Amino acid sequence: MGTGTEQLGVVILGATSAIARAIARRFAVEGYPIVLAARDVEEAELIAADLRVRHEAKASVLPFDAFDTASHVGFVDLCRQRLSGELGGVVLCFGHMEDQQAAQRDSAAARRILDGNFLGAVSILDHFANYFEARGRGFIAALSSVAGDRGRASNYYYGAAKAGLSTYLQGLRNRLYRSGVSVTTIKPGFIDTKMTYGLEGLFLVDSPEHAGAAMARAILCRRNISYVPWFWRFIMLAIRLIPEWHFKRMRL
């Protein structure tokens, strides 16, 4: 990481997922103090304890709910207090998926998908963006998805939310560039997690440990956009190049 962010704290939002754990481990190995933010505080405490024992990391926990946007006000200050200092970066790992067919019948389910993947992310990242911009340093990273690269009948609510998140991060990257703040958009392909368990049509599935390590490297290298695994960049390029007249006839 660039000069000025060494030994500054890193906040992991949605810290109890398998991918988030792998990312947290990499930052712990690099010597970063860590705040694990999650709804399941008890599970996050277990992860923090493991980081402290295995890697001698300074790891602490804060409750966080992406859906409760009112609680996002002041959350950055809570993170600073927990770390007793300034922040070096934030990694957004949370996401929310529900059955597409159910969401088509139930507007509340559709709203939860949009809130959990887009509105909640924008709400909390805006606060971190203002904080880092004022200090002229830091990094922001967020897990979007290859699902946002093109709308498909099987998951277009989720894909729409992730497409919105990717566009938001692109604009944020443009805004914060001159402030010395990096913004990394991570686009995972199929990863073996609770979110993808039982889904049909999965192929080239990566492990959360391998994927998380690759994501952490992308963040530490300050990449703009990173597909994980890397070959998904070319898979999605091929999918985006399919003409719409043909794509709409495909069962995807």
Side-chain angles (χ1 to χ4, degrees):
M1 186 59 62
T3 301
T5 58
E6 289 82 4
Q7 306 306 318
L8 298 182
V10 175
V11 180
I12 310 291
L13 301 170
T16 57
S17 74
I19 291 175
R21 295 183 194 200
I23 293 173
R25 280 196 295 271
R26 176 60 189 270
F27 278 104
V29 169
E30 295 291 331
Y32 288 85
I34 299 169
V35 171
L36 302 174
R39 281 188 293 179
D40 190 342
V41 173
E42 189 173 320
E43 179 66 20
E45 289 285 6
L46 293 175
I47 299 169
D50 183 71
L51 292 175
R52 290 191 289 266
V53 171
R54 291 178 186 269
H55 306 293
E56 299 183 350
K58 181 180 178 182
S60 56
V61 173
L62 279 175
F64 174 79
D65 188 344
F67 292 96
D68 184 12
T69 55
S71 69
H72 297 176
V73 178
F75 185 77
V76 173
D77 287 335
L78 288 176
C79 292
R80 290 181 58 204
Q81 292 169 18
R82 187 56 56 90
L83 289 166
S84 301
E86 299 299 320
L87 303 179
V90 60
V91 184
L92 188 152
C93 298
F94 63 76
H96 182 76
M97 182 179 287
E98 296 194 29
D99 180 71
Q100 171 69 30
Q101 295 295 323
Q104 290 170 200
R105 298 188 298 269
D106 180 4
S107 61
R111 177 61 185 265
R112 286 193 297 271
I113 296 172
L114 298 175
D115 286 352
N117 294 291
F118 178 66
L119 294 177
V122 170
S123 171
I124 190 60
L125 289 184
D126 272 350
H127 293 293
F128 279 99
N130 293 337
Y131 170 84
F132 291 129
E133 185 175 39
R135 282 151 185 79
R137 63 183 183 181
F139 66 86
I140 294 171
L143 273 64
S144 184
S145 174
V146 296
D149 281 12
R150 192 157 194 180
R152 298 179 294 125
S154 60
N155 70 346
Y156 60 80
Y157 287 112
Y158 179 78
K162 290 300 189 179
L165 177 58
S166 292
T167 301
Y168 165 80
L169 293 169
Q170 187 175 41
L172 198 62
R173 184 160 46 245
N174 184 229
R175 166 192 160 188
L176 297 179
Y177 172 74
R178 289 171 181 81
S179 299
V181 181
S182 67
V183 178
T184 300
T185 305
I186 299 172
K187 296 188 176 185
F190 296 138
I191 312 295
D192 185 16
T193 65
K194 292 180 180 179
M195 186 177 289
T196 60
Y197 179 78
L199 294 180
E200 297 180 357
L202 300 186
F203 59 96
L204 298 174
V205 180
D206 199 8
S207 71
E209 293 78 15
H210 183 269
M215 292 171 189
R217 286 194 298 272
I219 298 166
L220 290 167
C221 291
R222 291 179 174 260
R223 293 177 189 160
N224 296 320
I225 301 172
S226 179
Y227 285 81
V228 178
W230 60 270
F231 50 76
W232 276 93
R233 178 182 297 274
F234 302 101
I235 292 174
M236 296 314 299
L237 174 61
I239 291 176
R240 291 196 303 272
L241 289 175
I242 299 172
E244 189 67 18
W245 63 264
H246 179 65
F247 188 80
K248 68 182 181 182
R249 292 172 168 80
M250 300 174 68
R251 298 180 63 85
L252 295 171

